[in-house]
Amino acid sequence: MESVAKVKTQVNKSNFLQGVEAGVPILMGYVPIAFTFGLLAKSLNVSATLAILMSLTNYAGASQFIGIKLMAMNVQMVEIVMTTFVVNIRHFLMSFCISKKLGPNVSMPMRALLGFGLTDENFVVASMQPDEKITPMFLLGAETISYLGWGGGTILGVVVSEAMPESMSNSIGLALYVMFLGLIIPPMKQSKVICGISFIAMFISAVLTYTPVLSEISLGFRIVLTIIITSTIGAVFFPDKEG
């Protein structure tokens, strides 16, 4: 029995380290983005403690950028919750897919822990692995190193922002838009569908913002409506032919 337990421990350790290795590229990508989030929090006069807690407890990537912007604008809490929920609803599908591959023997607390750490990038890494390699320890390794990158990047951004002149930190808000363009332009160049959907989203957002009656809708709900309408148009007129 002791030898079996020892072998199992070694296998778990090996799987964990393989996951860590697979998550290193994610770590390298997360640090600069989380660093930008820390700088942005300072420019919006959000406390360092709150910014760090958002990264450590929410671990929500794009939703944190949206949420912190809405918070700085004193948007109602219900709107912030609804907006982040709609933005992150895709995580239900990703969690379902990974949960099926884990098998029935994984405990609910472990599933909850893995669900918390499951990001888009970790989902992609897991999806590229053979099914037999997708074990709880492998996922835990990849998610742990990624989480440390996101939390560490945020802390670094907050610390650096404290030493920045106020004029420089106030201009960091532009980084959000630059980052968004850097994320959306490459896919737009590769896919006419993504390009079209992006312009549809811009058009809908402009209509909701500048139409006299519709502009009275609060910012949070305008974002939610833009996401829902754009997603519906994409699903109806541009369905995934491989699905």
Side-chain angles (χ1 to χ4, degrees):
M1 292 293 294
E2 293 182 1
S3 60
V4 172
K6 184 176 181 180
V7 170
K8 186 176 181 180
T9 301
Q10 291 175 342
V11 171
N12 286 338
K13 183 178 180 180
S14 176
N15 288 339
F16 181 84
L17 293 177
Q18 289 175 358
V20 170
E21 182 179 358
V24 168
I26 302 176
L27 162 75
M28 297 174 66
Y30 277 4
V31 169
I33 300 175
F35 179 83
T36 303
F37 174 75
L39 296 178
L40 180 64
K42 172 64 175 179
S43 71
L44 296 175
N45 295 319
V46 175
S47 70
T49 301
L50 180 58
I52 294 172
L53 284 176
M54 282 186 70
S55 284
L56 296 181
T57 60
N58 291 352
Y59 188 40
S63 296
Q64 288 185 215
F65 282 91
I66 296 173
I68 204 168
K69 190 76 172 180
L70 295 176
M71 290 171 61
M73 297 175 67
N74 294 319
V75 173
Q76 294 183 5
M77 186 61 65
V78 64
E79 298 178 35
I80 298 175
V81 172
M82 287 187 63
T83 302
T84 53
F85 176 79
V86 172
V87 170
N88 285 325
I89 201 168
R90 68 191 185 281
H91 286 277
F92 283 107
L93 297 176
M94 293 192 297
S95 297
F96 289 151
C97 292
I98 295 299
S99 182
K100 288 179 62 177
K101 294 186 177 183
L102 289 178
N105 297 325
V106 181
S107 66
M108 188 57 67
M110 176 60 77
R111 289 180 186 273
L113 178 61
L114 296 176
F116 170 77
L118 186 63
T119 63
D120 298 303
E121 292 76 17
N122 282 313
F123 176 76
V124 171
V125 167
S127 299
M128 294 175 62
Q129 308 298 324
D131 286 354
E132 63 272 12
K133 192 174 180 179
I134 304 177
T135 65
M137 294 307 296
F138 176 86
L139 287 174
L140 186 62
E143 293 178 4
T144 298
I145 193 70
S146 305
Y147 178 77
L148 292 176
W150 186 260
T154 301
I155 294 172
L156 184 61
V158 168
V159 171
V160 171
S161 67
E162 294 292 337
M164 278 186 174
E166 185 175 354
S167 59
M168 183 178 295
S169 63
N170 289 337
S171 66
I172 295 299
L174 294 174
L176 176 60
Y177 303 101
V178 174
M179 185 189 71
F180 172 78
L181 291 175
L183 292 174
I184 195 63
I185 288 178
M188 288 176 65
K189 292 171 65 177
Q190 296 176 5
S191 171
K192 293 181 179 179
V193 172
I194 294 177
C195 184
I197 290 294
S198 298
F199 278 108
I200 289 173
M202 295 176 197
F203 174 76
I204 293 172
S205 178
V207 170
L208 293 175
T209 301
Y210 297 109
T211 301
V213 176
L214 298 177
S215 62
E216 296 180 5
I217 301 174
S218 60
L219 175 61
F221 285 118
R222 290 205 304 268
I223 295 175
V224 171
L225 285 173
T226 300
I227 294 172
I228 293 175
I229 295 172
T230 305
S231 299
T232 302
I233 292 174
V236 173
F237 295 100
F238 307 100
D240 185 1
K241 296 181 179 179
E242 296 180 359

